[in-house]
Amino acid sequence: MAKMENQDGQTPSKEARLAIMELANMISVPMSLNAVVRLNVADSIWQNGLNTPLTASEILTRINLPSAAGDTENLQRILRMLTSYRVFNEHIDASERRYSLTEIGKTLVTDKNGLSYGSYVLQHHQDELMKAWPAVHEAVVDSSTKPFVKANGGETAYGIYGKKPEMNGLMQRAMSGVSIPFMKAVLDSYDGFNGVERLVDVGGSAGDCLRMILEKHSHIKEGVNFELPEVVAKAPQVNGVTHVGGDMFDSIPKGDAIFMKWVLTTWTDDEVKRIMVNCFNAIPVGGKLIACEPVLPHHTDDTHRTRALLEDDIFVMTIYRAKGKHRTEDEYRELGKSVGFTSFRAIYIDHFYTLLEFIK
């Protein structure tokens, strides 16, 4: 067999060959994570608040399978692989392996409201989304059409969500599961809602974030949940919240402050400016736009934070908008300045989302 050489005539090192093998096989990680969520493994281990190490066989007895059987060996293979990514702890006793949850694994445990990061995992791996991934290169070849659209017969992701209630429901649970822990962190450490009497949440879905903000800040007299008409038509009643349907590209309801979360990311720079202009026009002098968005670091490194942000950037490019994107702090500052905001600050409350404050 001929020796493999790179362009410099050197044989790739064994470390390089191992690294590319790991990258090529990395699909095993998210799909195995998807499997343990579908199998409800985290809740099976975390029963009654206990994190007792269990064998694969013991976990299977707690999972409601269609049949009484289940393959213990294959479950253990999945658990071992995810242990290497710190989702589980492995406890070896004599000839048995037992598994408990790490801090990462605990994010998959459902809370009293039935929420966890498990829905976020499942949302990313629905059939329609998975079909788009072999077309990622198409975003380079022709960015005028999204890979998702090319893979799904011309349908956009949000178009399909609107037609398939089960997909839309999963997406809503995923967003709630991610939003609630983040909003708790915001409410514990951010003082920017002081003095606000009328708060407008742009793209507020069912109004969960507004409800949490109003519960914390009783001085806010009114919350406005501004969403697409078809979304607010199904939104539940929330004390102190008025649901208003409309299009943020046309206009935004008046308020002392505008709040939004994961809205700007999925739009192009020109579209973001249109949204910001409407926000600017909806608030008085001294009013503010409070946007919670993933913010990219200026320098690229191999930290978990940087990887998570860059991976999600490719997710946006593939599923939602080929030219929608995550941005750096400087890019957001310049966008705000271009539409008239006089002051800007970025507050790093969370490792993933950053709170961006634009003042008129």
Side-chain angles (χ1 to χ4, degrees), residues 6 16 48 60 81 99 115 144 182-183 197 233-234 245 249 271 274 280 316 321 334:
N6 61 23
N48 301 317
L60 278 178
M81 195 277 295
Y99 298 90
L115 298 174
S144 65
F182 169 73
M183 285 304 302
E197 294 188 354
K234 300 177 182 178
F249 288 105
E271 290 164 335
R274 286 173 58 192
F280 189 89
V316 169
R321 297 296 298 279
E334 290 305 311

Side-chain angles (χ1 to χ4, degrees), residues 53-155:
L54 301 175
T55 64
S57 178
E58 290 169 332
I59 293 171
L60 278 178
T61 63
R62 298 184 176 192
I63 296 173
N64 295 321
L65 296 177
S67 64
D71 195 305
T72 299
E73 181 184 18
N74 284 349
L75 175 58
Q76 180 165 282
R77 292 164 70 183
I78 291 172
L79 295 172
R80 284 199 69 184
M81 195 277 295
L82 291 176
T83 294
S84 75
Y85 283 89
R86 296 186 297 155
V87 178
F88 300 101
N89 286 315
E90 186 179 64
H91 311 263
I92 301 179
D93 179 17
S95 61
E96 287 191 315
R97 298 177 188 269
R98 297 178 184 273
Y99 298 90
S100 61
L101 300 175
T102 63
E103 287 302 305
I104 296 173
K106 290 175 186 176
T107 65
L108 303 177
V109 176
T110 53
D111 63 15
K112 62 182 179 181
N113 297 313
L115 298 174
S116 77
Y117 273 71
S119 294
Y120 184 82
V121 173
L122 296 179
Q123 147 70 10
H124 278 56
H125 302 119
Q126 297 176 94
D127 290 345
E128 289 83 353
L129 277 68
M130 292 300 295
K131 287 194 294 186
W133 284 105
V136 173
H137 68 287
E138 296 286 355
V140 177
V141 175
D142 177 10
S143 62
S144 65
T145 305
K146 313 165 190 69
F148 182 96
V149 171
K150 291 182 179 180
N152 285 278
E155 289 272 15

Side-chain angles (χ1 to χ4, degrees), residues 203-272:
S205 190
D208 289 330
C209 290
L210 265 181
R211 173 182 52 78
M212 294 178 70
I213 294 170
L214 267 60
E215 287 174 354
K216 176 76 173 185
H217 297 282
S218 57
H219 61 272
I220 299 177
K221 295 179 180 179
E222 183 182 8
V224 177
N225 178 37
F226 183 62
E227 256 289 6
L228 294 171
E230 59 266 30
V231 175
V232 297
K234 300 177 182 178
Q237 288 188 343
V238 180
N239 288 336
V241 173
T242 302
H243 297 295
V244 176
D247 186 339
M248 64 185 174
F249 288 105
D250 293 334
S251 65
I252 290 172
K254 301 287 185 182
D256 301 316
I258 308 294
F259 178 82
M260 60 178 63
K261 184 176 62 59
W262 214 77
V263 170
L264 303 179
T265 293
T266 54
W267 302 101
T268 66
D269 287 346
D270 286 342
E271 290 164 335
V272 167

